[in-house]
Amino acid sequence: MEKLFRNASVIAAGAIVVAILAPVLAKGLTPAPALGFAPDDASVGNSRLLIDAVFQYVQDNDENLPPTDTVAHFQFAVSPYLENKSAFTSPVTHLAYQPNPAIGGHSLAEFASPNKTVVFQDVKTSGTAKFTVTFLDSHIEQNGQIAGVFNPVQVSASRLKQIGLATLQYVQDNDESFPLLDTPAHAQKALMPYAKSLGVFYSPINGEAYQFNSNLSYATLASLADPSTTVLAQDPTANADGIRAIVYADGHVTPANNNPDNPDNPGKLGVQDAGNLKFIGLGIYQYVQDNDELFPNFRSEAAIEAAVNPYLHNTSVFVSPSTGLNYAYNTNMSGIALAQIDSPSELWMARDRTANSDGSVNTLYADGHVRTRYAFIAQHISVGPNNETRLVWNRGDGMVAFSLVSSVGAELSRGQLGQSAGTVKGISTSPTGYTSILIGNGNTASIWTLNPSFYLTQKTDYGPYAGWGAISVGIGGNNQPRLLWNRYDKSSAIWQASVANDYISDKRYALASGDIATGLAVAPDNSQRLVWTRPNGEVRFWTLSAAGDILSQSGVPPYHDWKAKSVTVGPNGNTWVLFAGTGGSSLMTMSPTQQRLNKIDFPAETGWTPQEVGVGADAYARILATNVDGRGRLRIYNTAGALLSSHEFAPF
């Protein structure tokens, strides 16, 4: 069999994006299972509700999937879209569904085969019950067989919701006027810059283009007596049940919510951060139009909500779903006239109080547009031969920065790499002090090599490799990088490169169904440590030879929702693994033959998330953590687990 990368050559930078027509499902159209359903049936119902919520998150986050590195992060991100929180838990196992850590934060366009990419699944089977797995194309399987069917009305409603949001964005950018909507072609041409794919404009029921209300062509939003009852676009024909999905001029879609406790809630868009601010802006301008061109009272949250509420269907837009905090408002705008503002595109009205989990900060300006800025998040570390730590900060827009930290944890210097790179997947430092930073962009990858002074000396690009994504990098005593790749079919490969980053060889591993490789580290003797997780939550460890052959293996049983976040190897060949979850974190040490030597537990700290562990030539462990306010922190522990030092770094 040909090697995985046998004929792969190093090519120029730039990812080839494969367009995917991904169904984004509407909230609440699949009811929760009725009492008396068997657990297997109930699991399908819960999974359907949860995958619907996932895709609503995707829709509001530039087609990016929610974080999946831990159950807690996954649930926190998706929770605003899920009315029935019991859907997070499998009725078969009574445990939380396990998200796929390999997909978190990635764009839908990165996945060439969404029907084979797991989003979440049961963590184990229970008796004779079935094992439920939910995939990125939204289908659900139990024991390998498809369970349930797609509802084309759901898919159609979600596409119309995207059309509604695209239209509102167009209106905000074009003097509050609608585009030319006399034909589907003209509508598509105007709205395509705001939509994610051409497929959004076509009904899944019959493949025909959606019909637009031609009477709205060039009309202003203010001229509509009631945008919530004015049809914007609709299915060209009803489905077999006689149901036709419709999007209205205010952005809501029917049918879109069958919650019996709130039948009047139309399931409006904008429940996720930037979308929230867009709708707050729309409400403020409707208030201004009705109140002699004067802005409302911005001096308190209660005052602004009282003024804007009558123009909104969903009052949850006043709270950021990422931070749980109310937005901050510009008190200087209270009661001023619209005509007094010279540059409304530069005067802010509302903004996030603190950075979101992805480092983004959103600001609403007086002309109604929302600008997203990104903060750096401290994510990856490696320790050099002189015990100095290299700390990499990543930003949501692809910018990369670094800090050089002394052997005792004090920050010595910091700087940016000067260009947008992508998502940092890992970092490793060679015995000569050169550092390799792995950048992953879908099916392509790059290695950025920095010298001991942290100057960029080489940038090497690889791919695209269909279905493969690089997730980790390690460097051993021979200074040669090893890259860990995962494939959508759950197979993994370790690729060895030369000191110059040229491909040398690879070895592929076919893990069992549901098993996911999550980390790779290389020892000074060039042996390798591979970490992977089983569907039941068990974490497995392999010691591999320099050539990739399995020498020994062991595992630890599931412990709460803790996951193996990071793995590294010390100078004596011992393996260090960092676990983290909602209840705290733990640092485990194992011998080169995977015999457990030590385990140190740390309590959870509000606002802090453990990220990675690194070990230097002194055999001391460094643990990196990130705070929700953008700070980084490095703590150093000796081999007995005693804390030697703790340093915090200001937001970048």
Side-chain angles (χ1 to χ4, degrees):
M1 178 181 295
E2 286 288 315
K3 291 290 187 179
L4 172 61
F5 304 107
R6 174 70 69 188
N7 299 316
S9 60
V10 178
I11 65 172
I16 296 177
V17 179
V18 179
I20 299 175
L21 187 59
V24 182
L25 305 180
K27 183 177 183 180
L29 280 173
T30 301
L35 294 176
F37 270 38
D40 293 332
D41 296 327
S43 186
V44 172
N46 279 6
S47 297
R48 177 61 64 202
L49 291 173
L50 185 52
I51 193 62
D52 289 358
V54 167
F55 276 108
Q56 287 180 77
Y57 174 98
V58 168
Q59 180 177 325
D60 289 335
N61 287 271
D62 296 327
E63 297 294 288
N64 293 321
L65 288 157
T68 57
D69 55 335
T70 68
V71 170
H73 289 164
F74 174 71
Q75 292 186 358
F76 182 81
V78 177
S79 185
Y81 304 92
L82 195 63
E83 294 177 359
N84 183 1
K85 301 303 187 290
S86 66
F88 282 123
T89 304
S90 168
V92 174
T93 65
H94 305 294
L95 299 173
Y97 289 110
Q98 170 64 51
N100 179 357
I103 67 173
H106 288 271
S107 169
L108 286 178
E110 297 181 25
F111 299 93
S113 300
N115 61 319
K116 297 181 180 179
T117 302
V118 173
V119 181
F120 56 85
Q121 61 188 348
D122 277 329
V123 295
K124 64 179 182 180
T125 58
S126 178
T128 59
K130 297 177 181 178
F131 189 85
T132 305
V133 183
T134 303
F135 292 82
L136 192 56
D137 69 344
S138 299
H139 86 272
I140 300 168
E141 293 184 6
Q142 288 185 323
N143 292 357
Q145 302 297 316
I146 292 179
V149 296
F150 288 118
N151 187 334
V153 179
Q154 287 183 315
V155 180
S156 186
S158 71
R159 292 180 184 175
L160 285 168
K161 288 180 74 176
Q162 294 177 73
I163 289 174
L165 179 57
T167 303
L168 288 174
Q169 290 173 319
Y170 177 96
V171 168
Q172 289 179 349
D173 291 344
N174 290 273
D175 299 325
E176 299 293 296
S177 296
F178 287 88
L180 178 62
L181 302 174
D182 60 335
T183 67
H186 286 156
Q188 292 172 18
K189 182 178 180 180
L191 300 178
M192 189 60 200
Y194 304 93
K196 301 302 179 184
S197 71
L198 187 62
V200 166
F201 298 98
Y202 293 86
S203 170
I205 295 174
N206 53 26
E208 296 178 12
Y210 289 112
Q211 295 176 346
F212 285 82
N213 182 357
S214 60
N215 294 325
L216 282 177
S217 297
Y218 302 128
T220 62
L221 186 62
S223 68
L224 304 183
D226 188 354
S228 66
T229 61
T230 303
V231 173
L232 170 63
Q234 61 184 347
D235 268 326
T237 59
N239 75 340
D241 296 327
I243 299 175
R244 185 196 302 262
I246 301 172
V247 60
Y248 295 85
D250 68 341
H252 86 270
V253 175
T254 59
N257 193 312
N258 66 346
N259 179 5
D261 297 325
N262 190 12
D264 296 325
N265 181 358
K268 284 177 64 67
L269 296 173
V271 295
Q272 181 72 22
D273 214 11
N276 282 6
L277 288 169
K278 284 181 180 292
F279 276 96
I280 290 174
L282 181 60
I284 289 174
Y285 264 90
Q286 289 175 318
Y287 174 94
V288 168
Q289 290 171 353
D290 291 345
N291 289 272
D292 299 325
E293 300 291 293
L294 298 176
F295 283 91
N297 181 1
F298 281 78
R299 292 188 176 88
S300 71
E301 295 167 5
I304 192 68
E305 291 181 19
V308 178
N309 261 336
Y311 304 96
L312 300 176
H313 289 282
N314 187 351
T315 58
S316 68
V317 299
F318 295 107
V319 178
S320 166
S322 180
T323 64
L325 301 174
N326 287 79
Y327 296 106
Y329 299 95
N330 186 353
T331 57
N332 294 325
M333 291 192 64
S334 296
I336 67 173
L338 180 61
Q340 292 179 255
I341 302 177
D342 293 329
S343 302
S345 63
E346 298 300 323
L347 180 63
W348 73 277
M349 293 195 296
R351 65 187 178 195
D352 284 316
R353 289 186 179 275
T354 186
N356 297 309
S357 57
D358 64 350
S360 64
V361 177
N362 296 284
T363 303
L364 169 68
Y365 289 84
D367 66 345
H369 86 276
V370 174
R371 183 181 303 168
T372 301
R373 301 182 185 274
Y374 290 91
F376 285 100
I377 302 296
Q379 290 184 317
H380 302 280
I381 59 171
S382 67
V383 186
N386 57 357
N387 296 313
E388 290 182 344
T389 298
R390 281 77 168 156
L391 191 162
V392 169
W393 307 67
N394 210 182
R395 208 165 69 178
D397 59 356
M399 293 298 293
V400 177
F402 64 87
S403 294
L404 185 61
V405 181
S406 74
S407 60
V408 295
E411 189 174 26
L412 301 175
S413 62
R414 57 168 51 185
Q416 295 188 37
L417 293 184
Q419 55 184 302
S420 180
T423 303
V424 178
K425 298 295 185 178
I427 174 176
S428 187
T429 302
S430 72
T432 58
Y434 279 75
T435 299
S436 293
I437 300 176
L438 175 64
I439 309 291
N441 290 292
N443 297 330
T444 66
S446 302
I447 290 182
W448 294 39
T449 303
L450 292 85
N451 67 15
S453 299
F454 239 69
Y455 288 99
L456 181 65
T457 61
Q458 184 176 352
K459 179 177 179 289
T460 310
D461 301 294
Y462 313 98
Y465 305 122
W468 290 89
I471 66 168
S472 185
V473 62
I475 301 177
N478 62 4
N479 299 305
Q480 295 179 345
R482 269 85 162 179
L483 276 66
L484 174 63
W485 299 74
N486 277 349
R487 195 167 185 257
Y488 64 81
D489 62 0
K490 308 179 186 67
S491 60
S492 300
I494 296 178
W495 169 22
Q496 182 173 336
S498 69
V499 176
N501 296 335
D502 297 320
Y503 164 78
I504 296 177
S505 63
D506 63 83
K507 194 172 185 75
R508 188 180 299 188
Y509 305 91
L511 302 180
S513 177
D515 295 345
I516 300 173
T518 57
L520 173 71
V522 186
D525 64 359
N526 299 311
S527 62
Q528 303 166 87
R529 311 293 189 266
L530 179 65
V531 177
W532 47 279
T533 303
R534 311 205 72 168
N536 65 354
E538 178 187 5
V539 178
R540 301 290 300 174
F541 311 100
W542 284 354
T543 293
L544 308 172
S545 69
D549 300 316
I550 300 174
L551 301 178
S552 63
Q553 55 182 302
S554 64
V556 295
Y559 185 68
H560 300 304
D561 65 345
W562 291 16
K563 301 296 182 296
K565 294 203 65 172
S566 173
V567 58
T568 190
V569 182
N572 55 4
N574 288 344
T575 303
W576 301 66
V577 182
L578 176 66
F579 295 82
T582 54
S585 59
S586 179
L587 185 61
M588 181 181 295
T589 312
M590 291 176 293
S591 72
T593 57
Q594 304 303 340
Q595 301 300 310
R596 178 170 155 178
L597 301 176
N598 194 19
K599 181 174 179 287
I600 311 167
D601 291 333
F602 308 100
E605 299 177 84
T606 302
W608 289 97
T609 301
Q611 298 285 359
E612 279 197 349
V613 60
V615 177
D618 54 12
Y620 294 162
R622 281 84 170 161
I623 296 181
L624 172 68
T626 300
N627 195 276
V628 293
D629 61 11
R631 287 176 292 158
R633 184 185 68 194
L634 191 72
R635 286 181 171 173
I636 302 178
Y637 298 86
N638 65 16
T639 54
L643 178 63
L644 301 180
S645 66
S646 178
H647 290 266
E648 292 185 8
F649 314 124
F652 208 96

